[in-house]
Amino acid sequence: MKKILLGVCILSVVAAHAQNQNAAELAKMKPEMTEFWDPEVKVVTPGESPMQAPSDAIVLFDGTNESLVQNWANSKGEAPGWSVADNCVTVVKGTGTIQSKAQFEDYQLHIEWRSPAEVNPESKSQGRGNSGIFMQERYELQVLDNYDNRTYRNGQAGSFYKQYAPLVNVCKKPGEWQTYDVIWTAPRFKEDGTLFLPARATVLQNGVLVQNNVMLLGPTEYIGIPKYKAHGAGSLVLQDHGNPVSYRNIWIRKL
Ligand code: MG
């Protein structure tokens, strides 16, 4: 018992001494010693609203056919078969996915999407307004009409398909425009091709947090368990799932 008490006393003396030392060091410091000026933080001009591209963004689609043809291709590298009208681009069933010509790793993405206004009462679950946005060609952020339309929770709008359900269902009615704002951190691989750090994502849908810094388990799989395979930068890919889903105002900032 005496030994324990002695130990406690010694620890208290050591702690008090360290505290006095810290206080003495702090007294020698000036405020400017922890103020850093260089390099100066880069100036970026924001858009007129958070929806609009800031000055350092790459605009991937501005509503025109020229912008679509310049920045996007189908999976064969040809001009996309999707239709452009009223400042948006719409999936044309059977023409396949479209992908950005530029490739990306880490980024901030803004994209707006709209499920078809006309809802076939026969179409349910995954059959209603299905499309998707693939990060680096592999990781699908689901686009689906889940307004009054249930499906498996890790396959609904705002999910990373079959990996992470959205935190909430914040879907608007079919026919209304919705937004996704995504902060994407690419996975890192070691030289031998094995995984070093998994991909991470934060997503806001219509301004509401639906994915909070989740760690992807691997590329999206329809059947089976995801498994990472080393890769570099990749395109942004928009899915043709047979439903006439529309997109507009797509911009990205490399991080
Ligand atoms: Mg999909």
Side-chain angles (χ1 to χ4, degrees), residues 111-162:
I111 186 163
E112 299 174 24
W113 57 276
R114 183 181 64 185
S115 303
E118 264 180 50
V119 176
N120 177 352
E122 300 292 304
S123 65
K124 290 188 168 60
S125 185
Q126 294 284 310
R128 195 174 288 186
N130 196 334
S131 183
I133 303 159
F134 286 78
M135 313 297 146
Q136 296 190 285
E137 305 162 30
R138 294 164 177 83
Y139 311 91
E140 184 185 8
L141 173 59
Q142 178 68 302
V143 168
L144 194 68
D145 172 14
N146 287 115
Y147 185 87
D148 202 16
N149 173 40
R150 279 212 71 187
T151 188
Y152 40 95
R153 57 182 277 114
N154 60 347
Q156 68 185 61
S159 70
F160 272 98
Y161 187 72
K162 289 199 170 174

Side-chain angles (χ1 to χ4, degrees), residues 19-197:
Q19 218 169 12
N20 287 342
Q21 208 171 21
N22 285 344
E25 278 168 15
L26 199 60
K28 282 188 241 163
M29 288 191 78
K30 293 181 176 154
E32 53 270 30
M33 290 169 84
T34 47
E35 295 165 3
F36 302 101
W37 286 71
D38 295 311
E40 187 179 355
V41 175
K42 187 179 149 191
V43 174
V44 169
T45 308
E48 283 181 19
S49 82
M51 313 257 282
Q52 302 311 312
S55 60
D56 64 345
I58 300 166
V59 176
L60 291 177
F61 179 62
D62 67 2
T64 64
N65 196 51
E66 294 72 48
S67 166
L68 184 74
V69 171
Q70 191 184 340
N71 296 298
W72 299 81
N74 66 16
S75 59
K76 294 176 194 151
E78 300 158 349
W82 295 16
S83 67
V84 176
D86 302 326
N87 283 324
C88 66
V89 59
T90 302
V91 175
V92 174
K93 186 178 177 177
T95 58
T97 59
I98 66 168
Q99 58 192 68
S100 65
K101 291 182 181 174
Q103 299 196 317
F104 304 98
E105 289 180 300
D106 302 342
Y107 52 79
Q108 173 186 351
L109 167 71
H110 175 87
I111 186 163
E112 299 174 24
W113 57 276
R114 183 181 64 185
S115 303
E118 264 180 50
V119 176
N120 177 352
E122 300 292 304
S123 65
K124 290 188 168 60
S125 185
Q126 294 284 310
R128 195 174 288 186
N130 196 334
S131 183
I133 303 159
F134 286 78
M135 313 297 146
Q136 296 190 285
E137 305 162 30
R138 294 164 177 83
Y139 311 91
E140 184 185 8
L141 173 59
Q142 178 68 302
V143 168
L144 194 68
D145 172 14
N146 287 115
Y147 185 87
D148 202 16
N149 173 40
R150 279 212 71 187
T151 188
Y152 40 95
R153 57 182 277 114
N154 60 347
Q156 68 185 61
S159 70
F160 272 98
Y161 187 72
K162 289 199 170 174
Q163 295 192 30
Y164 292 99
L167 295 170
V168 289
N169 179 349
V170 68
C171 284
K172 294 187 181 180
K173 289 178 183 169
E176 292 185 14
W177 283 101
Q178 311 202 43
T179 61
Y180 277 155
D181 288 281
V182 181
I183 314 298
W184 178 255
T185 305
R188 266 54 173 181
F189 298 93
K190 297 179 199 164
E191 269 183 26
D192 66 4
T194 57
L195 183 69
F196 177 53
L197 288 171

